Amino acid sequence: MGYPKEIHKKAFDELEARRRRANETAQRHRQEVLQKAPEVAVIDRQLSATALSVARAVLDENEHIEELIKGLRLKNLDLQKRRAALLTQAGFPADYTDIHYTCSRCQDRGYVGSRMCECLHSLQRQLAHAALCEQSAMTGCKFSTFQLQFYPDEIDSRLRVNLRRHMEEVLVYCQNYASGFSLSSPSVLMQGKTGLGKTHLSLAIASDVLEKGFGVIYMSAQNLLSKIERERFSREQNGDFDTFSMICDADLLILDDLGAEFSTQFTVSAIYNIINSRILSGKPTIINTNLTLSELKDRYTERVISRLMGTYDVLSFYGIDIRQLKRR
Ligand SMILES: [Zn+2]
């Protein structure tokens, strides 16, 4: 699944920490046991000796190998039984010194053979969620909390549409987009004045798409561009954390508030590269902007706009600034 590399790394760090904790706990338990039942150490030495003998018998191609291994296996079983009895006598559970992994299927390695384990999938989902909440600093932006009653139930004389009904269609579009999301979903441009719900609906999409197990990156254009610019001009570039390739890899990229960033030649060409690379890789992108189409054209040049218009679904947001309405 196309999670950003940062999420991958965090997930593997977490798995490693789980393995370490499991090993340390087992070691600690063994020390506790040895204090009460020192004979366990003798049995453990004998157990390692039988394991070694089996390995040696196989390597030597001993002619009585089957009998030999059978004997060693019986001895091993007997030792384990005696070990469990010693533990129980000393008041411990029989498996007290075993290594107890968080996930017994993959022993906290994240893979079973070449297949990714479900524990790693869900770990990545959780981490992506956490990263999303961190970046947006917004919670509760779900479809169910989107309030249509803030949009006037009247026909706008200039636009000649009923504003609430129009926004209801926008909401339904976004809900369908999220529930039917796939890598071949279209890209979307959400366009309209500030405070009309663009961020709310794109966060709701992000949350549902993440829930389905896709990799989503949600960033404001300003943060993203300054991150890319910092990396570009810093000497300590780290290949693993190259933001540009990270956003090209994401299953869904949501670029919030395009146009709010400080505009330079660098940001204009970076935006073109991002939009173009995402189109070339065939992966969907959602862009939110307060700018009108002609303002976009002035800022990002004709070639950016023709890329957008040729491939993006455009959603227009109409109404009255909801933040102001709520304040009243
Ligand atoms: Zn697992």
Side-chain angles (χ1 to χ4, degrees), residues 126-179:
Q126 282 166 22
L127 289 168
H129 256 297
L132 171 73
C133 297
E134 223 170 83
Q135 273 164 17
S136 63
M138 289 181 85
T139 46
C141 286
K142 296 185 159 64
F143 289 121
S144 56
T145 56
F146 189 76
Q147 292 174 303
L148 281 169
Q149 74 264 27
F150 284 116
Y151 298 87
D153 187 13
E154 57 195 49
I155 294 174
D156 184 279
S157 56
R158 193 174 55 86
L159 302 162
R160 292 164 188 252
V161 288
N162 178 300
L163 297 176
R164 188 175 299 171
R165 221 164 292 152
H166 172 78
M167 287 311 295
E168 195 175 355
E169 284 170 19
V170 169
L171 171 64
V172 169
Y173 175 97
C174 293
Q175 283 171 319
N176 290 339
Y177 187 90
S179 65

Side-chain angles (χ1 to χ4, degrees), residues 2 36 82 98 116 121 170 217 221 242 244 303:
K36 278 197 174 180
R82 279 167 49 201
D98 292 0
M116 194 190 276
H121 271 304
V170 169
I217 292 184
D242 171 7
F244 191 81
R303 94 184 158 145

Side-chain angles (χ1 to χ4, degrees), residues 103 105-106 110 117-120:
C103 175
R105 266 170 305 181
C106 69
C117 185
E118 186 45 45
C119 73
L120 179 54

Side-chain angles (χ1 to χ4, degrees), residues 9-206:
K9 186 177 180 303
K10 271 193 188 166
F12 279 103
D13 287 349
E14 170 60 21
L15 287 178
E16 201 189 316
R18 286 179 184 176
R19 280 202 305 278
R20 199 178 48 238
R21 279 199 299 274
N23 276 299
E24 283 167 359
T25 307
Q27 287 288 340
R28 203 175 52 245
H29 286 181
R30 186 166 181 272
Q31 293 307 322
E32 283 175 42
V33 166
L34 289 182
Q35 286 198 339
K36 278 197 174 180
E39 314 90 289
V40 168
V42 181
I43 294 188
D44 283 352
R45 271 198 295 278
Q46 288 171 325
L47 278 167
S48 332
T50 49
L52 214 72
S53 307
V54 171
R56 208 170 284 147
V58 173
L59 280 176
D60 287 353
E61 295 178 12
N62 189 304
E63 53 181 323
H64 305 297
I65 185 164
E66 275 179 35
E67 264 169 76
L68 209 66
I69 288 181
K70 201 173 158 195
L72 286 167
R73 194 170 287 149
L74 283 174
K75 195 176 167 197
N76 190 299
L77 278 176
D78 181 51
L79 284 167
Q80 290 196 359
K81 241 185 246 167
R82 279 167 49 201
R83 193 182 193 278
L86 282 172
L87 260 75
T88 324
Q89 273 165 30
F92 297 105
D95 65 350
Y96 194 58
T97 59
D98 292 0
I99 300 175
H100 293 285
Y101 292 104
T102 307
C103 175
S104 54
R105 266 170 305 181
C106 69
Q107 304 199 325
D108 297 341
R109 300 197 169 275
Y111 280 86
V112 181
S114 61
R115 277 194 54 174
M116 194 190 276
C117 185
E118 186 45 45
C119 73
L120 179 54
H121 271 304
S122 76
L123 193 55
Q124 286 181 328
R125 262 200 301 279
Q126 282 166 22
L127 289 168
H129 256 297
L132 171 73
C133 297
E134 223 170 83
Q135 273 164 17
S136 63
M138 289 181 85
T139 46
C141 286
K142 296 185 159 64
F143 289 121
S144 56
T145 56
F146 189 76
Q147 292 174 303
L148 281 169
Q149 74 264 27
F150 284 116
Y151 298 87
D153 187 13
E154 57 195 49
I155 294 174
D156 184 279
S157 56
R158 193 174 55 86
L159 302 162
R160 292 164 188 252
V161 288
N162 178 300
L163 297 176
R164 188 175 299 171
R165 221 164 292 152
H166 172 78
M167 287 311 295
E168 195 175 355
E169 284 170 19
V170 169
L171 171 64
V172 169
Y173 175 97
C174 293
Q175 283 171 319
N176 290 339
Y177 187 90
S179 65
F181 181 83
S182 75
L183 291 180
S184 51
S185 290
S187 291
V188 180
L189 179 69
M190 294 186 179
Q191 194 272 320
K193 292 205 184 95
T194 185
L196 293 180
K198 300 187 298 293
T199 299
H200 188 128
L201 286 185
S202 48
L203 275 172
I205 292 176

